Amino acid sequence: MTNRQQAGGYRAVLTGASGGIGAAIAARLAPHCALLILVGRQRPLLEELARQLRGCDVQIVCGDLCDPHTLGAIAATARASGGVDLLINNAGVNSFHAFETQDPATIRAQVETNLLAPMLLTRELLPLLGTAPNAQVINIGSVLGSIGFPGFAAYGAAKAGLAGFSQALRREYADTTVTVRHFAPRSTRTPINSSAANAMNRELRNAEDTPEEVADAFMAFLAGKAATQTLGAAQRFFVLLNKLLPAIPDKAIGKQLVQIRKHLPR
Ligand SMILES: NC(=O)c1ccc[n+]([C@@H]2O[C@H](COP(=O)([O-])OP(=O)(O)OC[C@H]3O[C@@H](n4cnc5c(N)ncnc54)[C@H](OP(=O)(O)O)[C@@H]3O)[C@@H](O)[C@H]2O)c1
């Protein structure tokens, strides 16, 4: 049992459970849970995942997180199951595309799914989380929320917003039993990345993790006390450099623009 875990295990909500990183987290988290509520839009995938999980009560909420009814259904399931003490806002969407010609609906979907939905779900569950002796909200961000990158303007903006939300809410709840944390993977081999994004990553030799590696790092983060974590030593250095001396990443990324544009849908 970790320092934050309740006796009997976590009582967790995991969004994006049917995705690459979500399913890998679910597999590792389930043995440490008393209750695990899996959220996604594809019931067959969630049911298949639930069949594979052992050691805890598994519940499914199927719905779109951009629909307020889904947020209400998650809260109702959490209440009916006896409460929750861990919310993992992991669901996300990403579209690698030239910003000027990106469909407004796609821009909106990225902001709504990656930023607004986690904010509103957190708001919905805070009263319940506040009744647990110790509770945490963990928002899954991205390195691209700290380092703006061509082709990811909308996604990066939403993930930067999620990092800001996590920090402000953590400070707002500093004198309560609820902790708000932020975990930012780097590029990971999952369906969220289009073939164009994968081709660009290969050409730029960007480091890529497997979902299992990310889930292992997540479990270590969950057991620890850090408020935030970015995966990858090189990425952590680049994030710091980007904060202190942004002109250096401006120049470095500028030198990659010809290669990036080769792959960027427009
Ligand atoms: N893979 C990477 O390179 C990478 C890097 C950094 C950060 N991340 C972040 O890691 C998280 C997990 O991503 P992933 O790589 O595992 O992607 P993924 O395999 O595409 O999974 C995304 C998950 O989010 C769910 N989802 C998306 N939109 C939703 C909506 N409107 N309502 C409900 N569920 C929704 C999907 O459910 P459906 O089955 O319903 O589609 C799916 O379960 C995301 O927040 C992503 O931004 C990923």
Side-chain angles (χ1 to χ4, degrees):
M1 195 168 81
T2 71
N3 52 345
R4 290 172 183 276
Q5 193 175 346
Q6 313 300 318
Y10 294 108
R11 307 183 62 78
V13 174
L14 172 64
T15 71
S18 53
I21 292 173
I25 288 177
R28 282 153 183 76
L29 190 60
H32 303 277
C33 284
L35 167 72
L36 181 52
I37 300 174
L38 307 172
V39 183
R41 289 171 298 185
Q42 303 187 61
R43 186 171 289 282
L45 288 183
L46 296 174
E47 285 176 347
E48 178 54 31
L49 176 63
R51 267 193 290 280
Q52 293 163 16
L53 299 177
R54 295 275 170 274
C56 68
D57 174 16
V58 179
Q59 304 275 338
I60 287 173
V61 177
C62 188
D64 188 332
L65 286 162
C66 301
D67 178 347
H69 292 110
T70 305
L71 308 187
I74 296 168
T77 303
R79 262 193 304 276
S81 309
V84 290
D85 56 24
L86 174 60
L87 166 61
I88 305 166
N89 282 312
N90 166 70
V93 289
N94 159 1
S95 170
F96 174 60
H97 202 279
F99 181 71
E100 196 180 324
T101 52
Q102 190 160 49
D103 175 15
T106 305
I107 294 173
R108 194 180 301 276
Q110 290 179 89
V111 175
E112 285 190 0
T113 311
N114 296 314
L115 176 58
L116 200 55
M119 289 173 68
L120 294 178
L121 180 57
T122 302
R123 179 185 172 280
E124 188 85 28
L125 291 182
L126 271 171
L128 207 51
L129 290 163
T131 63
N134 279 300
Q136 6 181 3
V137 176
I138 303 185
N139 294 319
I140 307 295
S142 166
V143 167
L144 297 177
S146 300
I147 301 170
F149 201 85
F152 294 104
Y155 178 74
K159 289 294 190 182
L162 188 65
F165 168 65
S166 307
Q167 185 179 76
L169 197 67
R170 176 170 59 256
R171 292 174 181 169
E172 189 169 324
Y173 276 72
D175 60 354
T176 75
T177 52
V178 181
T179 311
V180 182
R181 310 170 74 202
H182 180 254
F183 178 82
R186 60 184 175 182
S187 184
T188 309
R189 231 163 288 141
T190 75
I192 205 172
N193 294 310
S194 63
S195 51
N198 286 330
M200 179 197 68
N201 280 332
R202 271 196 304 277
E203 177 157 354
L204 297 180
R205 296 176 193 275
N206 286 338
E208 200 183 42
D209 293 317
T210 64
E212 291 72 27
E213 286 168 329
V214 174
D216 286 339
F218 175 85
M219 291 306 291
F221 176 73
L222 176 65
K225 289 194 166 174
T228 70
Q229 188 183 351
T230 298
L231 292 191
Q235 284 71 20
R236 282 193 289 278
F237 173 73
F238 216 57
V239 167
L240 185 65
L241 191 66
N242 194 51
K243 259 189 203 148
L244 300 175
L245 299 164
I248 296 177
D250 276 355
K251 207 167 171 185
I253 294 171
K255 281 187 185 160
Q256 296 179 319
L257 257 184
V258 172
Q259 289 165 294
I260 295 168
R261 286 212 176 102
K262 251 170 55 188
H263 301 283
L264 190 63
R266 40 186 65 250

